[in-house]
Amino acid sequence: MRKIAAVSAVAVALLANGLVGTGLGSAAAVPADAMKPMSLYAPSALVISVEPGTGDEGASVQRAVTLSCAPTPSGTHPAPAAACAELKRAQGDFTALSASGAPRICTKVWNPVTVRAEGIWNGKRVSHVQTYGNSCMKAAGSEAVFNF
């Protein structure tokens, strides 16, 4: 008998607070957007940045872009399709990136530039930091990924 009274008291409290009849917990209250199936593609979303120096001085970021590769290339990167294709060829290994075509002739002037890539590639967390001797060497380091 006490259990029934306690349940009734809870029901009265819920009614008084307007919580019963709102549809909370029912299938009818779930928005249609929430019922859409999730993507079949593993997520690939990165933030890629460029900063002056060797990356250990706490320098501020000069430029940063976003790059999302699945299901379609997008983001603020100026060439998302080319950057995604280049990463796909390298199987997401940033150290394997290299520019193709005519070799680039760069000076040996030491003016370091550091690039960073943070995020998710094919569902796996990635964090890459690489320092180039100067911006010409950075441009020679990849076709599209770090060229923005």
Side-chain angles (χ1 to χ4, degrees):
M1 187 73 167
R2 288 185 183 181
K3 289 182 181 178
I4 294 172
V7 171
S8 297
V10 170
V12 169
L14 290 173
L15 282 172
N17 289 324
L19 296 177
V20 173
T22 61
L24 292 176
S26 69
V30 177
D33 291 352
M35 299 301 288
K36 289 183 181 177
M38 296 183 69
S39 174
L40 298 176
Y41 299 97
S44 292
L46 303 165
V47 174
I48 304 169
S49 62
V50 176
E51 62 188 61
T54 58
D56 55 0
E57 297 99 22
S60 60
V61 173
Q62 283 180 332
R63 294 179 305 277
V65 296
T66 59
L67 179 64
S68 180
C69 294
T72 57
S74 63
T76 59
H77 194 287
C84 289
E86 185 178 7
L87 278 170
K88 187 175 181 179
R89 281 191 306 273
Q91 298 178 341
D93 182 4
F94 290 91
T95 60
L97 295 175
S98 63
S100 64
R104 201 176 271 252
I105 299 172
C106 297
T107 65
K108 298 278 185 175
V109 173
W110 180 249
N111 188 12
V113 176
T114 300
V115 295
R116 296 180 188 273
E118 302 278 340
I120 307 291
W121 177 258
N122 282 340
K124 295 179 184 170
R125 176 90 170 93
V126 294
S127 180
H128 174 76
V129 179
Q130 186 168 354
T131 300
Y132 293 94
N134 55 46
S135 58
C136 178
M137 292 175 166
K138 175 188 74 73
S142 83
E143 289 179 33
V145 176
F146 298 127
N147 290 324
F148 53 89

